[in-house]
Amino acid sequence: MKLTPAQQAEFAERGYLFLPSVFSPEEMALVTGELPKIFGETRDEVIREKGSASPRTAFFVQTWNPVFAMLARHPRLVEPGMQLLASDKLYMHQFKVNAKAAFDGAVWQWHQDYATWYNDDDMPTAQAMNIALFLAEANEFNGPLMFIPKSHREGRLAAGHDTVTTSYPLWTADNDTITGLVAEGGIVAPKGPAGSMLLFHGNLVHASGSNLTPWSRWILYLSLNRCDNAIRRFKRPNWIANRDFTPIEMLPDDCLAAFARERRIAAA
Ligand code: SIN
Ligand code: MN
């Protein structure tokens, strides 16, 4: 899937791009049908919320689930990354599903992803980004992602290592920094149905609140990095900061529908 020049210009200006309903309800039914199985697994890659059995994140799912393996190579997710990062040689730095579970989903503090990729993984430059796919509706109540538009233009900001607020350590920005950035750019929270996509720059400042609703807010994140910008420190487990820098080879655009068809035939 190719972005138009106007979409690429919007991304450069604001640091993000929202594309509603890119995947069909049928495709999303196949994907979301896997989630109970994924979050039901007991394994290192499935992180729980602090003090709770509710799932927070499932990492590296493309290596242990066949449907998510296709999403990691899906042209509607990967090709826009190639355009925006100006390279057809990208690898998967990180791949995760964030649950933001009904009633229990906890916050993600204000941060830039590149702060963590730099401080923990020694990624040379911010030429990496996130491609997010909504696996459930994100609405104003269930802890949608919040962005500070244009904050990516500030470059990498000072960050502190927060290991206490949630079950997942993160390099975060302080309140004064956020206050200044919000005075300039405001806050947006793109909302839409499952199948919508959000593309955002590695230096865009973002966060999300807790989820007090009965609606889980599942989001899949592909963190794509240029192969010539590979990380140089291997402090975090491979399933959080991937050390396999093999370029992603895309699958056909109809791979999910074809898989669902084959599964139906096999089950008949
Ligand atoms: C993240 O910033 O990595 C996740 C934020 C969210 O899923 O709300
Ligand atoms: Mn983030």
Side-chain angles (χ1 to χ4, degrees), residues 84-102:
L84 295 172
L85 294 172
S87 171
D88 59 1
K89 298 238 177 328
L90 302 182
Y91 77 94
M92 192 68 66
H93 173 61
Q94 188 178 81
F95 185 98
K96 64 177 187 265
V97 182
N98 279 354
K100 188 75 76 172

Side-chain angles (χ1 to χ4, degrees), residues 219-233:
I219 299 182
L220 167 69
Y221 294 90
L222 282 67
S223 300
L224 300 174
N225 189 18
R226 286 173 58 123
C227 292
D228 60 6
N229 192 39
I231 62 169
R232 298 175 296 201
R233 186 182 305 129

Side-chain angles (χ1 to χ4, degrees), residues 4 11 19 27 36 38 46 51 57 70 85 89 95 113 137-138 150 179 183 189 210 217 248 258:
T4 64
F11 180 89
L19 307 173
E27 289 174 314
I38 287 169
V46 180
T57 300
M70 287 187 284
L85 294 172
K89 298 238 177 328
F95 185 98
D113 280 5
E137 181 191 48
K150 303 185 182 185
T179 303
S210 59
R217 187 233 62 178
I248 297 169

Side-chain angles (χ1 to χ4, degrees), residues 51-265:
S52 150
S54 287
R56 179 171 178 82
T57 300
F59 282 101
F60 225 38
V61 188
Q62 82 279 25
T63 63
W64 48 281
N65 178 282
V67 173
F68 283 78
M70 287 187 284
L71 288 171
R73 300 173 56 195
H74 201 291
R76 270 174 260 164
L77 297 172
V78 175
E79 198 171 22
M82 290 179 171
Q83 281 181 285
L84 295 172
L85 294 172
S87 171
D88 59 1
K89 298 238 177 328
L90 302 182
Y91 77 94
M92 192 68 66
H93 173 61
Q94 188 178 81
F95 185 98
K96 64 177 187 265
V97 182
N98 279 354
K100 188 75 76 172
F103 298 112
D104 268 342
V107 304
W108 286 80
Q109 313 91 311
W110 286 108
H111 68 282
Q112 297 172 307
D113 280 5
Y114 183 59
T116 296
W117 299 338
Y118 173 83
N119 284 301
D120 284 347
D121 308 326
D122 194 15
M123 187 184 285
T125 75
Q127 288 179 298
M129 65 176 296
N130 283 304
I131 310 281
L133 172 64
F134 292 3
L135 306 185
E137 181 191 48
N139 57 44
E140 63 265 57
F141 308 111
N142 64 354
L145 264 181
M146 300 186 286
F147 293 146
I148 304 178
K150 303 185 182 185
S151 53
H152 65 303
R153 299 193 196 170
E154 302 292 322
R156 184 173 56 83
L157 301 162
H161 202 204
D162 180 352
T163 58
V164 295
T165 306
T166 70
S167 60
Y168 184 72
L170 202 62
W171 289 85
T172 61
D174 66 30
N175 291 352
D176 287 344
T177 304
I178 298 305
T179 303
L181 291 172
V182 170
E184 292 287 317
I187 299 177
V188 296
K191 292 165 278 276
S196 302
M197 285 172 58
L198 256 180
L199 288 50
F200 58 103
H201 192 282
N203 273 334
L204 192 74
V205 178
H206 58 285
S208 61
S210 59
N211 184 5
L212 294 175
T213 75
W215 308 308
S216 290
R217 187 233 62 178
W218 299 306
I219 299 182
L220 167 69
Y221 294 90
L222 282 67
S223 300
L224 300 174
N225 189 18
R226 286 173 58 123
C227 292
D228 60 6
N229 192 39
I231 62 169
R232 298 175 296 201
R233 186 182 305 129
F234 306 136
K235 185 173 100 173
R236 304 198 291 172
N238 185 49
W239 45 269
I240 295 187
N242 188 15
R243 295 167 208 169
D244 178 353
F245 309 136
T246 310
I248 297 169
E249 284 183 28
M250 291 188 285
L251 293 171
D253 189 78
D254 67 348
C255 56
L256 293 170
F259 182 92
R261 208 162 38 238
E262 276 166 32
R263 202 183 243 184
R264 271 196 307 275
I265 292 167

